């Protein structure tokens, strides 16, 4: 998947649950040489980038930050206001979530301060391009499009935020809370050694370090950025932060350039039940194409295996009956397939297992529906039957 495609994809939304379950620490005997190293921090610059999404009045994000938008937006200068209007029109035209997607681009450079991200928008070739070139999202032609068509408007908005006193405003309303949550979250996450689980299920080595940015303006999203890093809202329960990290580390579950996976599942994609999920859920949530939904579903199934082994989540049935309006039936089905094959116990190379599951006919529409019902119940499956 290329940079422009990534920009045009809605970011995965974080489904919060109402009831928290007790967590248990990771097993001490799982600690090995490559044990997970957690880094947790706040970042005013990344918060400013994500806040642009609220300024464009994204329906999911704006509702959480309306009073902050009403305070900041009238203070923007004319150049920043005009640039913001252009970004808003572009987002509406392409269904893009501006703030979270820009977070991906700017995470390739320093994001600690507002001056950091302003400098990156002003000098993208020296400050952003090197990091993006080493990421899975790099494409030189589309980088030129981002650099020339998008970043000048982003730079104007960021300068407007600086002139409007955004960083001082952030220091007053966000920094004290974030400081406390960063320390508490760091202590909590250090109890869980998840990287060995990812390596065991993906069948490849990973960097042991994970970076978590706790943000003030990111609600309702959990955001994967470049490298083994992600951003999350400070208020989410700590097990949700753990869930988000576990989930995001599995993206992408397949090679992004390999289209054969999607081609081999054309029967499932075209099935009326699957189409009802793709077209009948709230499009603001994302996952509006079959490749998006398949990638997300496989990732959710894998993160549920880790949650089961380490004991930090509610059951899969409760999760998938409600998350994102109950649309993740495919995730439930893949999870059931993995359980039947005892993949969570044996481990292996997930991409290879997935190919074998297709070969064995497990992704025939009737088989997917049958297995999803074993996890979430028949009623949850049948609600999408709109033939």
């Amino acid at each position: 998947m290329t940079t422009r495609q990534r920009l045009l994809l809605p970011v995965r939304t974080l489904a919060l649950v109402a009831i928290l379950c007790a967590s248990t620490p990771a097993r001490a005997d799982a600690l090995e040489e490559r044990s997970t190293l957690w880094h947790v921090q706040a970042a005013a610059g990344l918060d400013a980038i994500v806040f642009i999404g609220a300024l464009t009045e994204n329906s999911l994000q704006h509702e959480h930050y309306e009073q902050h938008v009403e305070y900041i937006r009238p203070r923007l200068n004319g150049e920043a206001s005009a640039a913001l209007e252009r970004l808003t029109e572009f987002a509406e035209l392409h269904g893009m979530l501006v703030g979270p997607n820009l977070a991906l681009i700017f995470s390739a450079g320093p994001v600690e301060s507002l001056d950091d991200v302003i400098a990156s928008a002003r000098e993208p070739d020296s400050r952003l391009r090197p990091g993006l070139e080493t990421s899975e999202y790099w494409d030189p032609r589309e980088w030129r499009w981002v650099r020339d068509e998008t970043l000048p408007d982003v730079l104007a908005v960021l300068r407007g935020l600086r002139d409007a006193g955004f960083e001082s405003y952030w220091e007053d309303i966000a920094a004290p809370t974030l400081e406390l949550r960063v320390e508490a979250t760091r202590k909590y996450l250090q109890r869980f050694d998840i990287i060995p689980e990812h390596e065991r299920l993906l069948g490849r080595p990973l960097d042991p370090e994970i970076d978590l940015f706790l943000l003030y303006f990111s609600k309702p999203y959990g955001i994967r950025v470049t490298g083994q890093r992600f951003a999350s809202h400070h208020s989410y329960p700590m097990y949700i932060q753990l869930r988000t990290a576990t989930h995001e580390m599995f993206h992408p579950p397949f090679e992004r350039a390999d289209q054969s996976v999607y081609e081999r599942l054309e029967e499932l994609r075209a099935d009326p039940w699957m189409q009802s999920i793709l077209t009948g859920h709230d499009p603001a949530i994302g996952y509006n194409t079959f490749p998006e939904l398949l990638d997300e579903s496989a990732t959710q199934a894998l993160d549920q295996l880790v949650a089961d082994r380490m004991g930090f989540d509610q059951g899969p049935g409760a999760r998938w009956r409600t998350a994102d309006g109950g649309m993740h039936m495919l995730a439930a089905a893949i999870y059931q397939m993995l359980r039947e094959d005892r993949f969570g116990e044996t481990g292996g190379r997930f991409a290879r297992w997935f190919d074998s599951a297709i070969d064995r006919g497990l992704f025939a529409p009737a088989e997917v529906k049958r297995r999803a019902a074993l996890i979430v119940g028949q009623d949850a499956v049948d609600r999408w039957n709109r033939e």
Side-chain angles (χ1 to χ4, degrees):
M1 184 177 296
T2 59
T3 302
R4 185 175 185 184
Q5 289 171 323
R6 183 63 177 82
L7 278 171
L8 300 181
L9 291 180
V11 175
R12 298 172 291 277
T13 56
L14 187 61
L16 298 181
V17 297
I19 301 175
L20 302 183
C21 296
S23 298
T24 57
R27 290 171 45 190
D29 61 6
L31 296 177
E32 300 175 353
E33 184 179 349
R34 292 180 60 81
S35 294
T36 310
L37 301 176
W38 294 95
H39 305 287
V40 186
Q41 63 182 303
L46 192 57
D47 241 334
I49 290 293
V50 175
F51 184 61
I52 293 175
L55 288 171
T56 62
E57 299 187 2
N58 162 265
S59 59
L60 291 179
Q61 194 176 3
H62 181 264
E63 65 183 53
H64 295 287
Y65 302 109
E66 186 172 359
Q67 66 176 0
H68 304 293
V69 171
E70 290 179 351
Y71 177 82
I72 291 291
R73 189 152 188 173
R75 290 169 169 76
L76 295 177
N77 57 40
E79 182 182 1
S81 296
L84 187 61
E85 290 297 329
R86 288 190 293 271
L87 289 173
T88 301
E89 291 175 5
F90 181 82
E92 292 175 350
L93 178 64
H94 294 286
M96 184 182 82
L97 304 181
V98 174
N101 282 293
L102 288 178
L104 171 69
I105 300 298
F106 279 84
S107 69
V111 294
E112 282 69 28
S113 71
L114 185 56
D115 284 342
D116 283 331
V117 293
I118 288 174
S120 292
R122 188 174 57 244
E123 303 169 17
D125 278 317
S126 62
R127 294 175 64 90
L128 297 179
R129 178 171 176 162
L132 288 171
E133 282 184 320
T134 61
S135 78
E136 65 228 54
Y137 307 112
W138 173 250
D139 181 274
R141 293 170 300 176
E142 293 175 5
W143 163 249
R144 289 192 291 271
W145 170 79
V146 171
R147 180 193 61 195
D148 298 339
E149 301 296 329
T150 302
L151 293 186
D153 282 336
V154 174
L155 176 60
V157 174
L158 290 172
R159 284 172 168 166
L161 287 173
R162 181 185 58 191
D163 295 344
F166 173 84
E167 198 154 28
S168 295
Y169 185 68
W170 183 90
E171 289 286 348
D172 290 340
I173 65 168
T177 298
L178 291 174
E179 183 177 353
L180 294 175
R181 291 293 291 179
V182 162
E183 183 59 28
T185 302
R186 182 184 297 115
K187 290 180 179 178
Y188 174 81
L189 292 177
Q190 286 172 348
R191 299 160 54 195
F192 296 91
D193 189 29
I194 65 173
I195 289 294
E197 286 296 301
H198 288 80
E199 293 179 327
R200 194 174 64 83
L201 298 176
L202 291 173
R204 55 183 170 85
L206 298 174
D207 190 315
E209 299 191 45
I210 301 177
D211 293 308
L212 165 61
F213 293 99
L214 288 187
L215 302 181
Y216 192 85
F217 291 112
S218 61
K219 221 171 188 179
Y221 304 113
I223 308 167
R224 175 72 183 267
V225 292
T226 55
Q228 291 187 178
R229 300 191 292 170
F230 66 97
S232 188
H233 194 263
H234 71 86
S235 71
Y236 295 156
M238 290 187 187
Y239 99 89
I240 290 289
Q241 310 290 12
L242 177 61
R243 156 70 79 183
T244 303
T246 303
H247 176 87
E248 298 297 343
M249 290 295 296
F250 280 119
H251 275 292
F254 319 109
E255 291 293 333
R256 290 192 183 275
D258 183 8
Q259 296 297 309
S260 65
V261 170
Y262 312 116
E263 294 167 359
R264 295 179 68 197
L265 294 176
E266 176 59 24
E267 181 186 6
L268 178 61
R269 185 204 66 79
D271 182 76
W273 176 76
M274 180 57 63
Q275 284 298 310
S276 74
I277 294 174
L278 288 168
T279 62
H281 76 279
D282 182 355
I285 294 172
Y287 323 122
N288 298 316
T289 69
F290 183 71
E292 292 171 35
L293 181 61
L294 180 63
D295 289 7
E296 176 66 12
S297 298
T299 300
Q300 287 194 17
L302 286 166
D303 79 50
Q304 187 64 48
L305 291 180
V306 177
D308 291 346
R309 282 175 62 87
M310 304 188 79
F312 58 76
D313 196 26
Q314 84 275 27
R319 174 189 185 183
W320 285 313
R321 278 190 291 270
T322 58
D324 291 337
M327 69 173 293
H328 294 295
M329 298 294 98
L330 184 54
I334 296 174
Y335 170 75
Q336 176 62 21
M337 297 175 199
L338 290 165
R339 287 210 313 175
E340 291 173 4
D341 284 350
R342 302 176 67 87
F343 190 80
E345 300 170 30
T346 64
R349 185 177 174 185
F350 174 75
R352 185 175 298 160
W353 172 89
F354 198 88
D355 283 339
S356 77
I358 298 175
D359 291 339
R360 288 178 284 151
L362 303 190
F363 282 90
E367 290 298 309
V368 169
K369 285 179 269 190
R370 181 179 69 81
R371 286 180 169 84
L374 293 175
I375 300 299
V376 299
Q378 194 63 49
D379 288 346
V381 172
D382 288 345
R383 64 166 292 202
W384 298 103
N385 282 333
R386 301 173 185 173
E387 299 181 35

